[in-house]
């Protein structure tokens, strides 16, 4: 009997030790889980801060772009610096092209920061392309767009506008607002 009692006590001790180890492991896992959750929250905050900083940088760039274009639009001598088109332009036409660039760039920026969808961008450009000056501006900038990195947002949207302009020119209807298929996001 004594041997059986010692065996039972030994099993109880082993079970207690096992339970102690299990409790310790579960506690360690809980602490580890808490650390992982804390790190995940920190990463999410850093990602949000990075996104906010990117939008701030884009806004600053957009403001600087507009300031430079405004100076060029107001001053024909400065506008000559931005005349990168493959044909000579009158001062009036150059100012019109610069303004068309400002309109397009503003919508591009609105899309990039998430203020408008790709479909809204498409709709705006479809309306903008109804203006012959804007169409002429777009054609004149074709070679500049060809130098962009193929996978950039700007290059992808530029190709979308190229295709839309082609479709608008080939359309045999007066209902321009139905020409072209709005892109999927």
């Amino acid at each position: 009997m004594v041997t059986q009692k010692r065996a039972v006590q030994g099993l109880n001790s082993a079970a207690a030790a096992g339970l102690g180890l299990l409790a310790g492991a579960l506690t360690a896992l809980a602490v580890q889980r808490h650390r992982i959750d804390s790190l995940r929250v920190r990463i999410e905050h850093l990602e949000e801060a990075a996104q906010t900083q990117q939008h701030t940088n884009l806004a600053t760039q957009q403001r600087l772009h507009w300031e430079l274009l405004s100076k060029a639009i107001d001053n024909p001598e400065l506008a000559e610096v931005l005349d990168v088109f493959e044909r000579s332009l009158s001062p009036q036409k150059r100012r019109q092209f610069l303004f068309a660039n400002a309109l397009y760039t503003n919508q591009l920026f609105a899309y990039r920061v998430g203020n408008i969808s790709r479909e809204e961008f498409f709709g705006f450009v479809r309306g903008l392309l109804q203006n012959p000056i804007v169409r002429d501006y777009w054609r004149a900038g074709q070679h500049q767009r060809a130098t962009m990195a193929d996978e950039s947002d700007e290059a992808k949207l530029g190709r979308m506008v190229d295709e839309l302009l082609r479709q608008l020119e080939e359309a045999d209807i007066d209902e321009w607002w139905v020409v072209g298929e709005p892109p999927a996001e």
Side-chain angles (χ1 to χ4, degrees), residues 122-135:
F122 182 85
F124 173 81
V125 171
R126 182 169 44 195
L128 193 60
L129 287 172
Q130 297 313 299
N131 185 301
I133 295 168
V134 173
R135 286 182 183 201

Side-chain angles (χ1 to χ4, degrees), residues 3-21:
T3 308
Q4 286 180 343
K5 282 186 178 182
R6 285 187 185 165
V8 169
Q9 286 175 345
L11 286 175
N12 285 341
S13 296
L19 286 175
L21 284 173

Side-chain angles (χ1 to χ4, degrees), residues 62-185:
Q62 178 68 14
R63 183 181 48 78
L64 291 171
H65 181 258
W66 174 246
E67 287 175 11
L68 290 170
L69 283 179
S70 293
K71 288 179 181 186
I73 290 169
D74 293 341
N75 184 330
E77 290 147 358
L78 294 178
E80 287 180 21
V81 174
L82 294 177
D83 190 349
V84 293
F85 304 102
E86 293 186 359
R87 62 179 199 247
S88 80
L89 302 173
S90 70
Q92 176 187 358
K93 182 65 88 170
R94 190 177 303 117
R95 282 193 304 277
Q96 291 170 334
F97 277 20
L98 291 175
F99 190 72
N101 176 269
L103 290 172
Y104 176 79
T105 304
N106 185 57
Q107 289 304 302
L108 176 65
F109 170 73
Y111 169 74
R112 290 179 73 188
V113 297
N115 288 349
I116 62 172
S117 68
R118 194 175 185 104
E119 188 174 344
E120 290 169 313
F121 176 86
F122 182 85
F124 173 81
V125 171
R126 182 169 44 195
L128 193 60
L129 287 172
Q130 297 313 299
N131 185 301
I133 295 168
V134 173
R135 286 182 183 201
D136 195 24
Y137 155 75
W138 193 258
R139 283 187 214 101
Q142 177 181 3
H143 298 290
Q144 290 174 305
R145 287 190 307 281
T147 65
M148 289 183 200
D150 283 344
E151 294 308 309
S152 70
D153 280 343
E154 194 169 350
K156 289 176 186 176
L157 291 173
R159 287 191 300 273
M160 181 184 74
V161 175
D162 289 340
E163 177 61 20
L164 176 58
L165 179 57
R166 186 192 62 73
Q167 291 174 5
L168 285 167
E169 289 175 337
E170 291 176 357
D172 195 23
I173 59 173
D174 292 331
E175 299 165 338
W176 59 266
W177 54 92
V178 298
V179 173
E181 186 67 29
E185 279 299 321

